[in-house]
Amino acid sequence: MALENSLFKRFLTLSAFSLTMLLANGCEKSNNVAGEKVNKSPEITASAPAKNVILFIGDGMGVSTVTTGRIFIGQEMGKTGEEHVLSFENFDNVALVKTYNTNAQVPDSAGTATAIMSGYKTNIGTINVEPGKELQGCGTIEGRPTLAQTAARAGKSVGIISSARITHATPAAMFGYADSRSWEADKDIPAKIDRFNCRSLAAQLTDPGTPVNLALGGGAKEFSKTQTEQWASGSENRLYIETGEAFASLDPRDGQDVLGLFTPSHLSFEADRDPKAEPSLSEMTAFAIDNLAMRENEGYVLMVEAGRIDHAHHGGNAYRALKDFQAFDEAIATAVRKAGDDTLILVTADHSHVFTMAGYPKRGNPILGLVQMSETMQEQFGADTPYMPAKDGKPYTTLGYHNGPGDVRNPDSPPLTDNMVQGRDYRQQTAIALNDETHSGEDVPLYATGPGADRVKGVIEQDKIHGIMMKAMQID
Ligand SMILES: [Zn+2]
């Protein structure tokens, strides 16, 4: 133990020197391997309106998820990882976004999605209901229009994609009003609330007057047979599907309105997905763009949510969070490839998580692995193992959660091995034991390309994102 502790102290003394060396090595290795410039033409950005908007939301995708996801994807490609360039990292415009809800320092997805899509902050847990207006018809009385309604009134088609239930907070904020985000199905609305004319999010999505043309994701169990039949009877060219097979048989150029719910609850984590049973986020994005773009109207607004990054983080399982982030990155790459120059593409998160990357691991250290020092440092320390010891003399991981369901590290914790921590079901260690890891309150990034992207800059309130979309489409 004494040896390990002195090793630790020597590391702290030498770390500045070693880090300088590491940085020098890093610069040498850095190169833009993607190499592809993905931003849209600047002349279009400056003046013409955006005909289409694609809004990508990585649920819970804080900066630490972006950084570690970048390394994870790079390492899966056989590289050291740090130098990898994600599908949206060549976008010219970036901002930081303040995510707090009106009554919460650390927000939830209902309040933040309302801010992003509808243009005003609201209370935690409520969807498109202004603070203090609860129990007034769930926001529909004097309520402001949803993004789906606004787009439809401007003659645009509307698509919603989520790897979560389509009635879950983020996708629901596109089309619905609810005092409580838990009112997904009719059965979820308490009897005493019924008299306030509140309707479930499933009922609102399948209403004959729904402005939504495409909705793809999970959550079939939230809908009654009557509701899905009502959706399908809404117009002649309207389908309800439940299987990956049915989805694969569709031709997007037929321009059908489709409600596709491929699982009873959320779609599977990307790490566990059966590609025949459930389409990927990228496949759904490709379908939506082809389907919406061929319609003869004023363009489209499409929201794509990677909803399960958030869920994996809540479970303290970095592997599944990063696999879902990878699927999100692929979906954005698909949109960049398919969407025309008249499309504003925004990539953001609703909020972050208490997920962090730390400990001076060497360049190319497996992102899910134990912290290893470089060979040079190991030689300097005369250490017989590359693993950096913590104060307890045992190795520790690069990734961790401030709180959550993972083991709380204590003096009796068994030593971790790389085999253990790189397993797909491993929950990273934590400082505070909670059943569910929590969101965090720091700012999240916003990346933009296309017409109107130049308004994405500085540090902004989250509700300004709505205005950025409206101004880009020249909607008052
Ligand atoms: Zn969450």
Side-chain angles (χ1 to χ4, degrees):
M1 180 71 85
L3 174 73
E4 303 291 11
N5 272 338
S6 76
L7 195 63
F8 177 73
K9 278 179 194 149
R10 280 189 63 203
F11 166 69
L12 289 180
T13 321
L14 286 170
S15 59
F17 166 72
S18 306
L19 283 174
T20 310
M21 288 182 59
L22 280 175
L23 286 171
N25 279 341
C27 290
E28 224 170 85
K29 287 183 187 172
S30 279
N31 63 328
N32 176 349
V33 285
E36 195 186 346
K37 194 73 178 161
V38 292
N39 57 300
K40 307 292 178 187
S41 315
E43 59 276 14
I44 291 176
T45 304
S47 54
K51 187 178 180 191
N52 315 306
V53 169
I54 307 179
L55 171 63
F56 281 97
I57 299 182
D59 199 313
M61 184 195 73
V63 170
S64 59
T65 302
V66 176
T67 308
T68 55
R70 176 197 302 144
I71 297 171
F72 177 80
I73 294 168
Q75 292 186 343
E76 287 224 324
M77 295 166 77
K79 301 185 285 188
T80 44
E82 300 83 0
E83 72 286 3
H84 180 65
V85 180
L86 295 164
S87 58
F88 50 92
E89 290 186 321
N90 277 326
F91 289 8
D92 277 340
N93 300 89
V94 180
L96 283 175
V97 179
K98 296 156 75 175
T99 64
Y100 64 92
N101 295 146
T102 43
N103 62 347
Q105 206 164 50
V106 175
D108 91 316
S109 297
T112 54
T114 299
I116 295 169
M117 295 174 204
S118 303
Y120 55 96
K121 292 203 178 215
T122 190
N123 286 341
I124 193 165
T126 61
I127 297 172
N128 290 326
V129 176
E130 292 176 59
K133 293 207 172 165
E134 296 85 358
L135 301 184
Q136 294 181 32
C138 294
T140 49
I141 297 171
E142 295 176 38
R144 304 196 209 183
T146 62
L147 181 55
Q149 287 167 345
T150 303
R153 285 174 196 169
K156 296 180 190 294
S157 308
V158 175
I160 304 172
I161 295 172
S162 178
S163 51
R165 292 190 296 269
I166 209 74
T167 48
H168 207 240
T170 305
M174 275 290 286
F175 63 84
Y177 298 89
D179 288 356
S180 166
R181 57 180 286 170
S182 66
W183 297 351
E184 295 185 54
D186 287 352
K187 66 172 173 43
D188 299 326
I189 299 192
K192 65 177 182 188
I193 297 296
D194 226 7
R195 65 197 164 94
F196 296 105
N197 296 321
C198 292
R199 298 165 69 216
S200 70
L201 292 159
Q204 293 178 59
L205 178 59
T206 51
D207 186 279
T210 182
V212 178
N213 300 98
L214 278 183
L216 304 172
K221 75 177 168 66
E222 309 300 331
F223 294 78
S224 67
K225 195 157 185 293
T226 313
Q227 285 167 344
T228 53
E229 281 172 0
Q230 182 171 275
W231 163 275
S233 63
S235 80
E236 275 181 16
N237 200 13
R238 201 159 244 219
L239 297 171
Y240 172 64
I241 58 168
E242 280 191 339
T243 65
E245 208 173 34
F247 178 76
S249 72
L250 295 180
D251 185 342
R253 291 164 300 177
D254 291 344
Q256 323 90 322
D257 283 0
V258 184
L259 173 61
L261 304 173
F262 306 106
T263 45
S265 184
H266 304 302
L267 295 185
S268 301
F269 286 112
E270 179 61 22
D272 311 314
R273 183 175 65 85
D274 171 356
K276 286 206 184 80
E278 301 170 45
S280 69
L281 209 56
S282 177
E283 287 164 344
M284 292 190 285
T285 302
F287 179 90
I289 293 172
D290 287 342
N291 175 296
L292 297 172
M294 55 75 58
R295 297 171 188 239
E296 286 175 6
N297 59 12
E298 302 300 320
Y300 62 85
V301 172
L302 171 65
M303 193 286 296
V304 181
E305 186 209 23
R308 307 226 68 196
I309 296 171
D310 177 73
H311 299 158
H313 278 325
H314 281 306
N317 178 220
Y319 173 73
R320 281 185 174 75
L322 298 184
K323 283 303 278 185
D324 269 76
F325 174 81
Q326 185 176 30
F328 185 55
D329 181 53
E330 283 166 15
I332 298 163
T334 296
V336 167
R337 206 167 51 243
K338 279 187 164 288
D341 280 349
D342 52 2
T343 303
L344 170 66
I345 300 178
L346 299 173
V347 177
T348 192
D350 45 359
H351 56 75
S352 186
H353 271 266
V354 294
F355 173 59
T356 195
M357 165 190 172
Y360 309 116
K362 67 177 181 182
R363 176 75 190 272
N365 201 72
I367 191 66
L368 292 162
L370 298 171
V371 175
Q372 296 179 47
M373 56 190 122
S374 66
E375 281 176 21
T376 320
M377 287 165 73
Q378 197 184 335
E379 265 173 40
Q380 287 165 356
F381 295 146
D384 54 5
T385 162
Y387 295 113
M388 193 78 77
K391 207 172 170 182
D392 59 13
K394 295 175 218 169
Y396 60 95
T397 52
T398 305
L399 302 183
Y401 292 94
H402 171 61
N403 61 39
D407 290 337
V408 176
R409 192 175 177 113
N410 65 58
D412 300 324
S413 298
L416 300 174
T417 65
D418 254 325
N419 202 22
M420 191 191 286
V421 302
Q422 293 189 47
R424 31 193 292 152
D425 298 326
Y426 181 68
R427 296 177 200 269
Q428 277 69 23
Q429 288 178 326
T430 186
I432 301 166
L434 291 181
N435 288 334
D436 284 308
E437 179 265 10
T438 71
H439 299 172
S440 66
E442 75 266 11
D443 299 351
V444 295
L446 167 65
Y447 309 83
T449 189
D454 50 327
R455 293 188 184 88
V456 172
K457 58 187 173 188
V459 180
I460 62 171
E461 293 287 357
Q462 197 159 36
D463 50 288
K464 298 294 177 238
I465 298 174
H466 170 84
I468 288 167
M469 293 191 284
M470 294 300 114
K471 285 193 180 110
M473 293 187 286
Q474 296 185 357
I475 296 174
D476 290 335

